[in-house]
Amino acid sequence: MSLNLKQNVRCPQCGQMSEVTVWNSITVKDSEDLKQDLLRGKINMFNCPSCSYRALMPTPMLYHDEEKRLMISFTPCSDPVLKQQLFDNMRKASKESGELEKMEGYNLRFVADYNELLEKILIFDNNMSDKTIEVIKLMILSQDIEKAEQRVCRFGKYENGYVEFMVYDKKENQTYTSTVPKETYDTIDIQLRESGVKPYSFDWEEVNPSYATKLLNGFNN
C-alpha cells in the first residue's frame, strides 16, 4: 500500500510556509502513476511556490515492486558513518521481526542517494542485475584510472542492443556517455552467476561500487 502524509514546511530560503505531500511508501502494483512521478523526480521534493527553491525532503521511503520482486529502502543520508548505522539497524530490525521470511526470492536494497534509488528502479525495469551493472560501471571508470575518483557512473538506458551509461566528471563539470553491447553485459552476468553470486537476496544489501570491488576481488554473496 502506498502511504503519504501532509506536512507544513517553511522554505529555508525565503521563509514561506507551504503544505507538502510526503510519501513514506510506494507500492507499484497499486500506484503506477506514483512510480512515474518518482522517476521524474517529483516525489518527496519540496518546491517553494514563492521563490522556487527546490530540495529533497529528508523522509525515508519504501519502494515495493512485487512483479519485479524488488524492494528498496531509501533513507536520504550523506554521512557515511550514519548511513552505515542506519543500514545495520535496518538489517537487525528486519531479522528480529521475521520480515525476511516473507521476502524469499526478492532483491532487497538499501540506498541513501536519490539518484541511486532511481537508477535501481530503471535497472530492474530493464530486467537487469544491479550487481552486474555495478561491475561494468567500475570497468568503465577504470578506462581512465587517473580521473576515476572524480567521476560518477550511472546506468542510463538499454536500447537497440546497447546498455548506455552516463559518466559525470565532478571536476570538469561535464557529462559523458559510454555504451556497452548487451552481449558484454550477458557475459559478465553469467560469469558472476557461475562464481556464486545469487540473483536474489538473503538479507538487505547495499549494491554499490564498494560491493562491486569486493566481487572483483573474489567475494560473493
Side-chain angles (χ1 to χ4, degrees):
M1 179 184 297
S2 298
L3 301 173
N4 68 67
L5 54 86
K6 303 287 187 180
Q7 288 187 1
N8 289 315
V9 179
R10 183 183 300 277
C11 177
Q13 183 164 284
C14 72
Q16 175 72 33
M17 294 293 296
S18 57
E19 187 177 72
V20 180
T21 299
V22 177
W23 291 91
N24 302 110
S25 69
I26 292 179
T27 302
V28 174
K29 181 176 65 174
D30 302 328
S31 313
E32 180 64 32
D33 56 334
L34 286 176
K35 174 185 174 180
Q36 296 308 315
D37 283 345
L38 176 61
L39 291 173
R40 296 186 185 105
K42 295 181 178 181
I43 296 295
N44 290 358
M45 283 291 180
F46 171 73
N47 293 282
C48 180
S50 178
C51 71
S52 300
Y53 175 83
R54 176 179 168 86
L56 176 68
M57 297 288 291
T59 305
M61 185 184 72
L62 188 67
Y63 175 89
H64 182 199
D65 190 331
E66 186 175 353
E67 180 182 346
K68 299 293 183 183
R69 309 292 283 175
L70 173 67
M71 188 171 286
I72 306 174
S73 176
F74 168 58
T75 300
C77 179
S78 58
D79 182 285
V81 175
L82 178 58
K83 176 184 173 183
Q84 186 62 49
Q85 291 176 346
L86 292 169
F87 179 56
D88 291 342
N89 291 340
M90 184 188 68
R91 296 185 82 178
K92 180 180 178 181
S94 185
K95 287 181 180 178
E96 292 177 349
S97 69
E99 175 188 66
L100 289 177
E101 298 176 6
K102 305 174 184 178
M103 297 288 105
E104 184 176 354
Y106 263 76
N107 276 293
L108 306 173
R109 299 290 184 264
F110 173 81
V111 300
D113 179 84
Y114 194 78
N115 288 324
E116 187 178 356
L117 166 66
L118 305 186
E119 180 187 37
K120 295 292 184 192
I121 295 171
L122 290 175
I123 291 171
F124 282 93
D125 276 358
N126 281 275
N127 298 314
M128 294 182 180
S129 165
D130 59 337
K131 297 177 180 180
T132 305
I133 290 294
E134 288 295 336
V135 170
I136 295 175
K137 285 161 61 175
L138 281 187
M139 295 170 62
I140 291 173
L141 292 176
S142 68
Q143 292 174 358
D144 194 343
I145 197 66
E146 292 183 358
K147 295 184 177 181
E149 292 198 4
Q150 69 192 49
R151 292 181 170 180
V152 177
C153 186
R154 296 283 187 198
F155 173 85
K157 62 182 178 180
Y158 169 57
E159 190 174 72
N160 299 324
Y162 286 87
V163 186
E164 183 178 279
F165 295 84
M166 310 302 294
V167 181
Y168 174 64
D169 191 304
K170 292 176 284 186
K171 188 174 181 180
E172 298 174 1
N173 194 27
Q174 293 287 332
T175 300
Y176 307 91
T177 61
S178 179
T179 57
V180 175
K182 180 59 160 54
E183 291 84 354
T184 300
Y185 167 89
D186 292 336
T187 298
I188 295 174
D189 191 62
I190 291 172
Q191 291 174 344
L192 290 177
R193 298 287 175 262
E194 290 177 345
S195 73
V197 176
K198 300 295 187 296
Y200 49 83
S201 301
F202 295 103
D203 200 345
W204 289 95
E205 298 178 284
E206 284 188 283
V207 177
N208 51 27
S210 297
Y211 179 91
T213 300
K214 291 179 182 179
L215 287 183
L216 292 177
N217 289 333
F219 165 85
N220 63 55
N221 65 340

